[in-house]
Amino acid sequence: MDHSATTPVAAEVLEAMLPYFSDKFGNASSLHGFGREAREALEESRQKVARLLNADPGEIVFTSGGTESDNLALRGIAYKNRNSGRHIITSQIEHPAILETCRSLEREGFTVTYLPVNREGLIELSELERTIRPDTILISIMHANNEVGTIQPLEEVGRLAADRDIYLHTDAVQTVGKIPVDVEAMGADLLSLSAHKLYGPKGVGALFIRRGTKIQSLATGGGHERNLRSGTENVAGIVGLARAADLAREEMAAEGHRLVELRDRLAELVLGRVKDAWINGSMEKRLPGSLNLGFSYVEGESLLLYLDSKGIAVSTGSACSSHKLEPSHVLLALGLRPEQCHGSLRITMGRSNNQEQVDYVADCIAEAVERFRMMSPLGRDEGRK
Ligand SMILES: *Cc1c(COP(=O)(O)O)cnc(C)c1O
């Protein structure tokens, strides 16, 4: 129940990768047969990933994952276009791979506007429009949020950006493979994705870069990936990403419906049994398997550990920030009070979940909340009313 943190490698993906760890070990830059075999696998993979995004294979650069793709997009555009302007627009609820990169760019002389979001986690387009300046070079808005699952109106953002000749990047790590992602419809110039969020291996991802985009590479070296990402390609990982992309294209529609049903069932069961509980984020514009629940008078952390003892893996906030004790920056931006943030739980379902599990999870959550409220003076008193 924590698929937004990572997903298991699909059996088909593992099977596709294995030969590239043994017989087919060639370096894709070598001219001999071993190298050509690896090069062919690499280019075939590029086509598959491009197909999932409605992009051209020549617009896909393979990276080590979402974090590197985000860094290459932001820094690459900023450094190459600094003479046209130094203003970047993003949102307050981005993944740390975006937020920390923006903070780093601020220290290097760029100016960043962090757009607020409403209670559902959506940016306001009028606010975005007001924020655009003559020196704005890049807008980076995530497609869907990893903590609450809210899906942003990227097509509208794309139109605003295109009208003004501003580059648009989107961190689509949470949407690629889950819902249709079409770089043409979005008007995105750059898009980040990561294999391990769609049943592929960890440590591999891609950045879509629209043809003609002015971007600087961050790594100097042998000039791999059209000179944008030097370093011998991770052929096995890339083959795995491509197989995962193909599987996602086949299963997306049916799996999406299934997950919406599971998610809504879980919400209904929990909210029906636990009072002083609520859903964080948007009800309509939300990822199929994502549910972020808030509970008064309990610590999400305690719930998480209790559920873990019952064999259920969930998270508070995101996997990337859960080692911190500060309330989630995403929930704070949605307008929750710090104590409300601390009582929140992120449940993200995927291929391995079924209805029986959902019913079990609902039972365990209801049990846990009741137990912890009994132990908290505030919860006990409120419960008596
Ligand atoms: C997981 C995630 C990332 C980071 O991807 P890695 O491949 O783990 O580096 C970036 N953005 C979002 C929205 C994510 O969910």
Side-chain angles (χ1 to χ4, degrees):
M1 298 263 160
D2 198 16
H3 286 76
S4 282
T6 195
T7 55
V9 171
E12 297 91 333
V13 169
L14 180 62
E15 195 192 351
M17 289 171 69
L18 281 176
Y20 294 91
F21 289 112
S22 49
D23 300 345
K24 306 183 178 184
F25 62 86
N27 182 325
S29 298
S30 300
L31 295 178
H32 49 61
F34 292 102
R36 286 199 307 275
E37 187 176 47
R39 168 63 54 188
E40 261 165 45
L42 189 63
E43 296 315 322
E44 207 177 290
S45 299
R46 208 183 299 283
Q47 284 173 15
K48 290 178 180 168
V49 172
R51 200 175 303 141
L52 183 63
L53 308 176
N54 190 25
D56 200 79
E59 297 174 316
I60 303 297
V61 168
F62 291 115
T63 66
S64 67
T67 301
E68 188 191 332
S69 293
D70 284 347
N71 268 269
L72 176 56
L74 266 56
R75 291 180 193 278
I77 292 292
Y79 298 156
K80 187 75 176 185
N81 297 277
R82 67 196 323 160
N83 291 331
S84 312
R86 298 191 177 194
H87 181 232
I88 296 166
I89 301 173
T90 186
S91 82
Q92 292 177 358
I93 62 165
E94 298 292 316
H95 188 275
I98 296 289
L99 289 178
E100 294 306 319
T101 305
C102 282
R103 285 187 193 118
S104 168
L105 286 169
E106 282 185 285
R107 290 190 291 272
E108 293 173 42
F110 291 87
T111 310
V112 182
T113 302
Y114 301 88
L115 288 175
V117 293
N118 65 18
R119 188 76 193 193
E120 295 187 16
L122 288 163
I123 60 159
E124 304 278 357
L125 290 164
S126 53
E127 179 91 22
L128 168 61
E129 202 167 357
R130 261 200 309 281
T131 314
I132 294 173
R133 314 193 319 203
D135 63 338
T136 306
I137 50 172
L138 174 67
I139 298 172
S140 180
I141 302 290
M142 72 198 316
H143 193 194
N145 181 265
N146 46 306
E147 289 188 37
V148 291
T150 301
I151 302 168
Q152 301 292 345
L154 252 296
E155 299 192 6
E156 281 89 340
V157 175
R159 276 194 285 277
L160 274 181
D163 285 349
R164 291 159 181 80
D165 268 330
I166 300 168
Y167 285 127
L168 171 64
H169 166 253
T170 184
D171 176 338
V173 172
Q174 286 296 340
T175 52
V176 171
K178 295 194 184 105
I179 59 172
V181 171
D182 181 329
V183 290
E184 288 308 317
M186 276 180 179
D189 299 296
L190 305 112
L191 180 144
S192 305
L193 64 93
S194 174
H196 77 97
K197 303 287 174 79
L198 62 140
Y199 308 93
K202 292 167 185 64
V204 57
L207 179 65
F208 157 78
I209 308 175
R210 185 174 294 282
R211 181 155 288 125
T213 300
K214 295 195 186 89
I215 184 164
Q216 184 174 312
S217 126
L218 303 181
T220 43
H224 308 74
E225 297 294 292
R226 289 187 293 120
N227 214 8
L228 280 167
R229 205 273 185 176
S230 279
T232 303
E233 295 88 349
N234 172 7
V235 178
I238 290 166
V239 165
L241 165 60
R243 187 69 188 97
D246 265 0
L247 279 178
R249 273 194 319 121
E250 289 159 24
E251 295 181 7
M252 188 183 300
E255 178 65 0
H257 286 298
R258 199 183 71 87
L259 289 177
V260 165
E261 270 177 25
L262 289 183
R263 176 195 75 192
D264 291 349
R265 181 183 178 91
L266 182 59
E268 209 170 287
L269 287 173
V270 172
L271 297 182
R273 287 176 60 180
V274 183
K275 55 179 190 163
D276 295 318
W278 65 90
I279 296 176
N280 292 315
S282 170
M283 291 301 283
E284 291 91 40
K285 301 192 174 64
R286 189 163 38 133
L287 285 174
S290 289
L291 183 62
N292 192 304
L293 292 168
F295 303 95
S296 303
Y297 324 118
V298 268
E299 288 283 325
E301 211 92 324
S302 315
L303 290 177
L304 182 152
L305 294 174
Y306 178 88
L307 294 173
D308 185 39
S309 77
K310 299 284 174 185
I312 302 165
V314 299
S315 69
T316 58
S318 71
C320 329
S321 56
S322 51
H323 55 275
K324 299 182 207 156
L325 284 174
E326 298 107 66
S328 144
H329 71 284
V330 174
L331 296 179
L332 284 177
L334 261 62
L336 271 76
R337 295 190 304 274
E339 67 272 20
Q340 291 178 310
C341 300
H342 283 303
S344 293
L345 216 54
R346 177 183 78 167
I347 300 160
T348 48
M349 285 170 274
R351 280 188 200 148
S352 50
N353 299 128
N354 58 36
Q355 188 177 310
E356 195 184 327
Q357 293 176 340
V358 162
D359 295 357
Y360 174 63
V361 170
D363 285 345
C364 293
I365 290 178
E367 214 171 271
V369 173
E370 193 179 341
R371 174 183 295 214
F372 289 119
R373 280 184 182 165
M374 288 299 289
M375 283 157 43
S376 115
L378 194 57
R380 212 163 44 225
D381 295 347
E382 287 299 318
R384 283 208 194 98
K385 283 184 193 156

